[in-house]
Amino acid sequence: MSQALVIVGNGMAAARLVEELTARAPGRYAISVVGEEPSLAYNRVLLSSLLAREIEDSDLELKPRSWWEERRVNLVCGRQANNIDVRQRIVRLRGGATLPYAKLVLATGSEPIRLPLPGADLAGVLTFRTRTDVAAMLLRAKARMRAVVIGGGLLGLEAAFGLKKAGAEVTVVHLMDRLMERQLDARSAGMLKSALEDLGIGVCLNAESAAVQGRRKVGGLRLADGRVLEADLIVMAAGIRPRAGLARLAALEVNRGIVVDDRLQTCAPDVYAIGECAEHRGVCYGLVEPAYEQARILTRHLAGETARYTGSLLATNLKVSGVGVFSAGDFQGAPGTEPILLTDAERGIYRKLVVKEDRLAGAVLLGDTADALWYLDLIRSRAPISAMRDGLVFGRAFCGAAAEVPDPLQAEAA
Ligand SMILES: Cc1cc2nc3c(=O)[nH]c(=O)nc-3n(C[C@H](O)[C@H](O)[C@H](O)COP(=O)(O)OP(=O)(O)OC[C@H]3O[C@@H](n4cnc5c(N)ncnc54)[C@H](O)[C@@H]3O)c2cc1C
């Protein structure tokens, strides 16, 4: 007989887990998925493209309803799980229903951080996490509307680009001295700032937000240095926080995220966490690839195999048309590494490769990112680079036969 498996959260990690598990151990589990958002699981990564009007809302859907039905998944959409009883092995839903489980997976994702500024609750202060957030932005984003985006990381810049495309006058306000400081070095961040300014997006660095001004709705953002940026709309994209409240309430171990071991198991037996809500070896990931890798490892574990998750490599692409940005691995260059640099400021091209002991450890590409996946494969596979070192910084086409990279997954399977 199938065991009851309940997944809380109907996001990208949950959908991938169902896909992997129903393929690897068909019939072993009777799966229920509880999601508070009203729709089927969707591709959150594409929200930036939706905001930039490069795709339609229907393009977000990860799997059609029939896909879930074929796998006999009990989908509970538009309902929040608000309590877990790990002794009785029950999940309670808002409104009173309960779901018993033999195995429970928490895949509750993250929530955007709302800066506790005076005036932050005024109409016109939005965040950027869900389909509903994008709909609210698109509703307001009219020609000549003034928008301020707080946060010059990946999400903030993608929000700024989408709003700019909708005709708004956009300024990005960032606390740090450079954009995307977690992915870019100073040189590439400076070039990115110029590229965004060329698109007509204003950038204020070293700028601390102090208060949202306005009476009933937003009128502007006051900075700590006294400057006021007039605004009809403010988007807070100043970071995310793992959604761990449910786990905390159930007395599971939580630091920043829900603490899991190498099997993705929490401190409670048969309770697991994957995706952005999980904290593994002190790291909470804010990207989808680690969530997918965790789903793959947990699938093996749930299928009765031995598998361990040892962490993920971080790699990011900025989705702003015409401004290629890619960053992966150790892009800063820890002690013991050496950089290889190529810069063509005139063409807006910058490449920094970080080499450690004859292997590629990290990369930053700005302008031309056509070889991004190839560099990523090189980092992942840890393939020696000596045979292609002369051409490495110029890209794959300059490395001849040496450019073939062993597939890390096949190598792992072998
Ligand atoms: C605009 C945008 C652009 C992005 N771009 C990229 C990118 O380019 N590359 C990249 O790698 N990543 C990107 N990300 C991040 C990526 O979307 C996430 O890493 C990924 O969605 C994580 O999947 P998850 O399943 O852990 O969380 P989510 O996809 O957030 O899913 C969690 C779900 O759980 C639900 N939930 C939470 N608590 C409960 C509860 N108690 N009961 C019921 N349901 C609950 C939530 O409502 C949500 O639907 C982007 C994110 C955003 C917002």
Side-chain angles (χ1 to χ4, degrees), residues 170-196:
V170 187
T171 305
V172 175
V173 168
H174 193 47
L175 189 60
M176 311 304 283
D177 64 354
R178 63 172 198 258
L179 297 171
M180 290 183 69
E181 72 281 352
R182 292 213 215 138
Q183 290 91 9
L184 299 182
D185 59 358
R187 184 79 191 264
S188 52
M191 290 173 74
L192 172 61
K193 179 171 178 281
S194 304
L196 292 170

PDB file of all heavy atoms in Angstrom, residues 170-196:
ATOM      1  N   VAL A 170      12.483  55.115 -13.560  1.00  0.00           N
ATOM      2  CA  VAL A 170      12.885  54.202 -12.479  1.00  0.00           C
ATOM      3  C   VAL A 170      14.241  54.589 -11.882  1.00  0.00           C
ATOM      4  O   VAL A 170      15.190  54.876 -12.614  1.00  0.00           O
ATOM      5  CB  VAL A 170      12.972  52.741 -12.985  1.00  0.00           C
ATOM      6  CG1 VAL A 170      13.220  51.786 -11.820  1.00  0.00           C
ATOM      7  CG2 VAL A 170      11.711  52.337 -13.724  1.00  0.00           C
ATOM      8  N   THR A 171      14.306  54.561 -10.557  1.00  0.00           N
ATOM      9  CA  THR A 171      15.578  54.737  -9.855  1.00  0.00           C
ATOM     10  C   THR A 171      15.782  53.548  -8.919  1.00  0.00           C
ATOM     11  O   THR A 171      14.858  53.161  -8.201  1.00  0.00           O
ATOM     12  CB  THR A 171      15.569  56.029  -8.996  1.00  0.00           C
ATOM     13  OG1 THR A 171      15.225  57.119  -9.848  1.00  0.00           O
ATOM     14  CG2 THR A 171      16.927  56.284  -8.366  1.00  0.00           C
ATOM     15  N   VAL A 172      16.982  52.996  -8.948  1.00  0.00           N
ATOM     16  CA  VAL A 172      17.325  51.917  -8.020  1.00  0.00           C
ATOM     17  C   VAL A 172      18.150  52.519  -6.886  1.00  0.00           C
ATOM     18  O   VAL A 172      19.119  53.239  -7.133  1.00  0.00           O
ATOM     19  CB  VAL A 172      18.152  50.816  -8.724  1.00  0.00           C
ATOM     20  CG1 VAL A 172      18.611  49.762  -7.726  1.00  0.00           C
ATOM     21  CG2 VAL A 172      17.348  50.179  -9.842  1.00  0.00           C
ATOM     22  N   VAL A 173      17.742  52.212  -5.657  1.00  0.00           N
ATOM     23  CA  VAL A 173      18.442  52.702  -4.477  1.00  0.00           C
ATOM     24  C   VAL A 173      19.119  51.512  -3.811  1.00  0.00           C
ATOM     25  O   VAL A 173      18.459  50.529  -3.478  1.00  0.00           O
ATOM     26  CB  VAL A 173      17.397  53.328  -3.508  1.00  0.00           C
ATOM     27  CG1 VAL A 173      18.003  53.585  -2.155  1.00  0.00           C
ATOM     28  CG2 VAL A 173      16.827  54.600  -4.104  1.00  0.00           C
ATOM     29  N   HIS A 174      20.441  51.604  -3.645  1.00  0.00           N
ATOM     30  CA  HIS A 174      21.149  50.438  -3.108  1.00  0.00           C
ATOM     31  C   HIS A 174      22.044  50.876  -1.947  1.00  0.00           C
ATOM     32  O   HIS A 174      22.768  51.871  -2.035  1.00  0.00           O
ATOM     33  CB  HIS A 174      21.981  49.805  -4.240  1.00  0.00           C
ATOM     34  CG  HIS A 174      22.499  48.447  -3.906  1.00  0.00           C
ATOM     35  ND1 HIS A 174      21.717  47.464  -3.350  1.00  0.00           N
ATOM     36  CD2 HIS A 174      23.731  47.890  -4.061  1.00  0.00           C
ATOM     37  CE1 HIS A 174      22.440  46.369  -3.182  1.00  0.00           C
ATOM     38  NE2 HIS A 174      23.671  46.605  -3.594  1.00  0.00           N
ATOM     39  N   LEU A 175      22.008  50.092  -0.897  1.00  0.00           N
ATOM     40  CA  LEU A 175      22.749  50.421   0.323  1.00  0.00           C
ATOM     41  C   LEU A 175      24.264  50.307   0.130  1.00  0.00           C
ATOM     42  O   LEU A 175      25.035  51.057   0.743  1.00  0.00           O
ATOM     43  CB  LEU A 175      22.279  49.453   1.421  1.00  0.00           C
ATOM     44  CG  LEU A 175      22.732  49.690   2.842  1.00  0.00           C
ATOM     45  CD1 LEU A 175      22.276  51.048   3.346  1.00  0.00           C
ATOM     46  CD2 LEU A 175      22.169  48.593   3.753  1.00  0.00           C
ATOM     47  N   MET A 176      24.685  49.383  -0.709  1.00  0.00           N
ATOM     48  CA  MET A 176      26.121  49.085  -0.837  1.00  0.00           C
ATOM     49  C   MET A 176      26.776  50.013  -1.865  1.00  0.00           C
ATOM     50  O   MET A 176      26.112  50.770  -2.549  1.00  0.00           O
ATOM     51  CB  MET A 176      26.321  47.629  -1.273  1.00  0.00           C
ATOM     52  CG  MET A 176      25.548  46.621  -0.464  1.00  0.00           C
ATOM     53  SD  MET A 176      25.909  46.717   1.297  1.00  0.00           S
ATOM     54  CE  MET A 176      27.482  45.886   1.326  1.00  0.00           C
ATOM     55  N   ASP A 177      28.109  49.882  -1.985  1.00  0.00           N
ATOM     56  CA  ASP A 177      28.821  50.768  -2.915  1.00  0.00           C
ATOM     57  C   ASP A 177      28.853  50.225  -4.339  1.00  0.00           C
ATOM     58  O   ASP A 177      29.428  50.826  -5.232  1.00  0.00           O
ATOM     59  CB  ASP A 177      30.254  51.032  -2.421  1.00  0.00           C
ATOM     60  CG  ASP A 177      31.089  49.769  -2.391  1.00  0.00           C
ATOM     61  OD1 ASP A 177      30.532  48.668  -2.642  1.00  0.00           O
ATOM     62  OD2 ASP A 177      32.291  49.863  -2.115  1.00  0.00           O
ATOM     63  N   ARG A 178      28.259  49.060  -4.561  1.00  0.00           N
ATOM     64  CA  ARG A 178      28.156  48.543  -5.930  1.00  0.00           C
ATOM     65  C   ARG A 178      26.951  47.619  -6.061  1.00  0.00           C
ATOM     66  O   ARG A 178      26.486  47.038  -5.083  1.00  0.00           O
ATOM     67  CB  ARG A 178      29.434  47.823  -6.346  1.00  0.00           C
ATOM     68  CG  ARG A 178      29.769  46.602  -5.547  1.00  0.00           C
ATOM     69  CD  ARG A 178      30.943  45.886  -6.192  1.00  0.00           C
ATOM     70  NE  ARG A 178      31.055  44.540  -5.744  1.00  0.00           N
ATOM     71  CZ  ARG A 178      31.954  44.141  -4.838  1.00  0.00           C
ATOM     72  NH1 ARG A 178      32.787  44.994  -4.308  1.00  0.00           N
ATOM     73  NH2 ARG A 178      32.016  42.877  -4.498  1.00  0.00           N
ATOM     74  N   LEU A 179      26.468  47.503  -7.297  1.00  0.00           N
ATOM     75  CA  LEU A 179      25.315  46.642  -7.581  1.00  0.00           C
ATOM     76  C   LEU A 179      25.712  45.169  -7.486  1.00  0.00           C
ATOM     77  O   LEU A 179      26.874  44.821  -7.742  1.00  0.00           O
ATOM     78  CB  LEU A 179      24.782  46.930  -8.989  1.00  0.00           C
ATOM     79  CG  LEU A 179      24.241  48.343  -9.225  1.00  0.00           C
ATOM     80  CD1 LEU A 179      23.958  48.564 -10.710  1.00  0.00           C
ATOM     81  CD2 LEU A 179      22.980  48.583  -8.399  1.00  0.00           C
ATOM     82  N   MET A 180      24.751  44.326  -7.192  1.00  0.00           N
ATOM     83  CA  MET A 180      24.928  42.864  -7.183  1.00  0.00           C
ATOM     84  C   MET A 180      26.251  42.448  -6.538  1.00  0.00           C
ATOM     85  O   MET A 180      27.008  41.653  -7.095  1.00  0.00           O
ATOM     86  CB  MET A 180      24.847  42.318  -8.625  1.00  0.00           C
ATOM     87  CG  MET A 180      23.451  42.395  -9.215  1.00  0.00           C
ATOM     88  SD  MET A 180      23.322  41.687 -10.877  1.00  0.00           S
ATOM     89  CE  MET A 180      23.565  39.928 -10.556  1.00  0.00           C
ATOM     90  N   GLU A 181      26.519  42.986  -5.345  1.00  0.00           N
ATOM     91  CA  GLU A 181      27.832  42.747  -4.726  1.00  0.00           C
ATOM     92  C   GLU A 181      28.058  41.274  -4.377  1.00  0.00           C
ATOM     93  O   GLU A 181      29.187  40.849  -4.197  1.00  0.00           O
ATOM     94  CB  GLU A 181      28.015  43.640  -3.496  1.00  0.00           C
ATOM     95  CG  GLU A 181      27.187  43.277  -2.267  1.00  0.00           C
ATOM     96  CD  GLU A 181      25.733  43.743  -2.376  1.00  0.00           C
ATOM     97  OE1 GLU A 181      25.406  44.471  -3.323  1.00  0.00           O
ATOM     98  OE2 GLU A 181      24.933  43.347  -1.518  1.00  0.00           O
ATOM     99  N   ARG A 182      26.954  40.510  -4.320  1.00  0.00           N
ATOM    100  CA  ARG A 182      27.145  39.086  -4.000  1.00  0.00           C
ATOM    101  C   ARG A 182      27.528  38.264  -5.221  1.00  0.00           C
ATOM    102  O   ARG A 182      27.863  37.095  -5.123  1.00  0.00           O
ATOM    103  CB  ARG A 182      25.861  38.503  -3.415  1.00  0.00           C
ATOM    104  CG  ARG A 182      25.587  39.086  -2.082  1.00  0.00           C
ATOM    105  CD  ARG A 182      24.911  38.072  -1.200  1.00  0.00           C
ATOM    106  NE  ARG A 182      23.965  38.759  -0.362  1.00  0.00           N
ATOM    107  CZ  ARG A 182      22.764  38.331  -0.082  1.00  0.00           C
ATOM    108  NH1 ARG A 182      22.348  37.204  -0.578  1.00  0.00           N
ATOM    109  NH2 ARG A 182      21.978  39.001   0.698  1.00  0.00           N
ATOM    110  N   GLN A 183      27.410  38.898  -6.402  1.00  0.00           N
ATOM    111  CA  GLN A 183      27.728  38.155  -7.626  1.00  0.00           C
ATOM    112  C   GLN A 183      28.833  38.798  -8.458  1.00  0.00           C
ATOM    113  O   GLN A 183      29.403  38.135  -9.324  1.00  0.00           O
ATOM    114  CB  GLN A 183      26.498  38.028  -8.526  1.00  0.00           C
ATOM    115  CG  GLN A 183      25.405  37.118  -8.010  1.00  0.00           C
ATOM    116  CD  GLN A 183      24.381  37.858  -7.163  1.00  0.00           C
ATOM    117  OE1 GLN A 183      24.383  39.072  -7.095  1.00  0.00           O
ATOM    118  NE2 GLN A 183      23.522  37.104  -6.505  1.00  0.00           N
ATOM    119  N   LEU A 184      29.085  40.097  -8.235  1.00  0.00           N
ATOM    120  CA  LEU A 184      30.006  40.803  -9.134  1.00  0.00           C
ATOM    121  C   LEU A 184      31.160  41.445  -8.371  1.00  0.00           C
ATOM    122  O   LEU A 184      30.993  41.885  -7.229  1.00  0.00           O
ATOM    123  CB  LEU A 184      29.258  41.900  -9.894  1.00  0.00           C
ATOM    124  CG  LEU A 184      28.102  41.452 -10.790  1.00  0.00           C
ATOM    125  CD1 LEU A 184      27.497  42.651 -11.498  1.00  0.00           C
ATOM    126  CD2 LEU A 184      28.550  40.414 -11.808  1.00  0.00           C
ATOM    127  N   ASP A 185      32.319  41.528  -9.033  1.00  0.00           N
ATOM    128  CA  ASP A 185      33.423  42.289  -8.463  1.00  0.00           C
ATOM    129  C   ASP A 185      33.210  43.767  -8.817  1.00  0.00           C
ATOM    130  O   ASP A 185      32.291  44.122  -9.566  1.00  0.00           O
ATOM    131  CB  ASP A 185      34.766  41.757  -8.976  1.00  0.00           C
ATOM    132  CG  ASP A 185      34.876  41.831 -10.483  1.00  0.00           C
ATOM    133  OD1 ASP A 185      33.906  42.251 -11.147  1.00  0.00           O
ATOM    134  OD2 ASP A 185      35.937  41.483 -11.020  1.00  0.00           O
ATOM    135  N   ALA A 186      34.078  44.631  -8.278  1.00  0.00           N
ATOM    136  CA  ALA A 186      33.847  46.074  -8.411  1.00  0.00           C
ATOM    137  C   ALA A 186      33.836  46.510  -9.880  1.00  0.00           C
ATOM    138  O   ALA A 186      33.001  47.316 -10.298  1.00  0.00           O
ATOM    139  CB  ALA A 186      34.926  46.827  -7.633  1.00  0.00           C
ATOM    140  N   ARG A 187      34.747  45.942 -10.663  1.00  0.00           N
ATOM    141  CA  ARG A 187      34.848  46.375 -12.064  1.00  0.00           C
ATOM    142  C   ARG A 187      33.571  46.051 -12.848  1.00  0.00           C
ATOM    143  O   ARG A 187      33.007  46.901 -13.541  1.00  0.00           O
ATOM    144  CB  ARG A 187      36.067  45.650 -12.689  1.00  0.00           C
ATOM    145  CG  ARG A 187      36.392  46.043 -14.089  1.00  0.00           C
ATOM    146  CD  ARG A 187      37.145  47.362 -14.082  1.00  0.00           C
ATOM    147  NE  ARG A 187      37.265  47.932 -15.414  1.00  0.00           N
ATOM    148  CZ  ARG A 187      38.308  47.785 -16.204  1.00  0.00           C
ATOM    149  NH1 ARG A 187      39.345  47.087 -15.786  1.00  0.00           N
ATOM    150  NH2 ARG A 187      38.337  48.332 -17.389  1.00  0.00           N
ATOM    151  N   SER A 188      33.126  44.798 -12.744  1.00  0.00           N
ATOM    152  CA  SER A 188      31.937  44.406 -13.510  1.00  0.00           C
ATOM    153  C   SER A 188      30.689  45.115 -12.987  1.00  0.00           C
ATOM    154  O   SER A 188      29.801  45.486 -13.763  1.00  0.00           O
ATOM    155  CB  SER A 188      31.744  42.887 -13.493  1.00  0.00           C
ATOM    156  OG  SER A 188      31.773  42.392 -12.185  1.00  0.00           O
ATOM    157  N   ALA A 189      30.647  45.365 -11.674  1.00  0.00           N
ATOM    158  CA  ALA A 189      29.487  46.066 -11.114  1.00  0.00           C
ATOM    159  C   ALA A 189      29.425  47.499 -11.648  1.00  0.00           C
ATOM    160  O   ALA A 189      28.339  48.021 -11.936  1.00  0.00           O
ATOM    161  CB  ALA A 189      29.554  46.068  -9.590  1.00  0.00           C
ATOM    162  N   GLY A 190      30.600  48.120 -11.800  1.00  0.00           N
ATOM    163  CA  GLY A 190      30.642  49.478 -12.349  1.00  0.00           C
ATOM    164  C   GLY A 190      30.161  49.498 -13.793  1.00  0.00           C
ATOM    165  O   GLY A 190      29.414  50.400 -14.217  1.00  0.00           O
ATOM    166  N   MET A 191      30.570  48.476 -14.568  1.00  0.00           N
ATOM    167  CA  MET A 191      30.136  48.409 -15.967  1.00  0.00           C
ATOM    168  C   MET A 191      28.629  48.148 -16.058  1.00  0.00           C
ATOM    169  O   MET A 191      27.940  48.684 -16.925  1.00  0.00           O
ATOM    170  CB  MET A 191      30.924  47.322 -16.703  1.00  0.00           C
ATOM    171  CG  MET A 191      32.388  47.693 -16.902  1.00  0.00           C
ATOM    172  SD  MET A 191      33.377  46.344 -17.579  1.00  0.00           S
ATOM    173  CE  MET A 191      32.851  46.325 -19.284  1.00  0.00           C
ATOM    174  N   LEU A 192      28.128  47.334 -15.135  1.00  0.00           N
ATOM    175  CA  LEU A 192      26.682  47.059 -15.119  1.00  0.00           C
ATOM    176  C   LEU A 192      25.906  48.347 -14.830  1.00  0.00           C
ATOM    177  O   LEU A 192      24.886  48.631 -15.465  1.00  0.00           O
ATOM    178  CB  LEU A 192      26.366  45.988 -14.063  1.00  0.00           C
ATOM    179  CG  LEU A 192      24.890  45.725 -13.796  1.00  0.00           C
ATOM    180  CD1 LEU A 192      24.171  45.243 -15.061  1.00  0.00           C
ATOM    181  CD2 LEU A 192      24.700  44.694 -12.681  1.00  0.00           C
ATOM    182  N   LYS A 193      26.409  49.125 -13.883  1.00  0.00           N
ATOM    183  CA  LYS A 193      25.738  50.396 -13.544  1.00  0.00           C
ATOM    184  C   LYS A 193      25.652  51.283 -14.796  1.00  0.00           C
ATOM    185  O   LYS A 193      24.587  51.823 -15.117  1.00  0.00           O
ATOM    186  CB  LYS A 193      26.520  51.103 -12.439  1.00  0.00           C
ATOM    187  CG  LYS A 193      25.956  52.445 -12.014  1.00  0.00           C
ATOM    188  CD  LYS A 193      26.694  52.948 -10.769  1.00  0.00           C
ATOM    189  CE  LYS A 193      26.218  54.313 -10.311  1.00  0.00           C
ATOM    190  NZ  LYS A 193      26.756  55.420 -11.088  1.00  0.00           N
ATOM    191  N   SER A 194      26.751  51.376 -15.539  1.00  0.00           N
ATOM    192  CA  SER A 194      26.737  52.200 -16.760  1.00  0.00           C
ATOM    193  C   SER A 194      25.729  51.653 -17.767  1.00  0.00           C
ATOM    194  O   SER A 194      25.001  52.422 -18.405  1.00  0.00           O
ATOM    195  CB  SER A 194      28.121  52.224 -17.423  1.00  0.00           C
ATOM    196  OG  SER A 194      29.068  52.666 -16.511  1.00  0.00           O
ATOM    197  N   ALA A 195      25.686  50.320 -17.895  1.00  0.00           N
ATOM    198  CA  ALA A 195      24.769  49.721 -18.873  1.00  0.00           C
ATOM    199  C   ALA A 195      23.313  50.017 -18.496  1.00  0.00           C
ATOM    200  O   ALA A 195      22.480  50.304 -19.362  1.00  0.00           O
ATOM    201  CB  ALA A 195      24.999  48.207 -18.951  1.00  0.00           C
ATOM    202  N   LEU A 196      23.003  49.970 -17.199  1.00  0.00           N
ATOM    203  CA  LEU A 196      21.628  50.256 -16.764  1.00  0.00           C
ATOM    204  C   LEU A 196      21.305  51.736 -16.969  1.00  0.00           C
ATOM    205  O   LEU A 196      20.206  52.094 -17.399  1.00  0.00           O
ATOM    206  CB  LEU A 196      21.440  49.867 -15.297  1.00  0.00           C
ATOM    207  CG  LEU A 196      21.508  48.366 -15.021  1.00  0.00           C
ATOM    208  CD1 LEU A 196      21.550  48.096 -13.525  1.00  0.00           C
ATOM    209  CD2 LEU A 196      20.320  47.643 -15.640  1.00  0.00           C
TER     210      LEU A 196
END
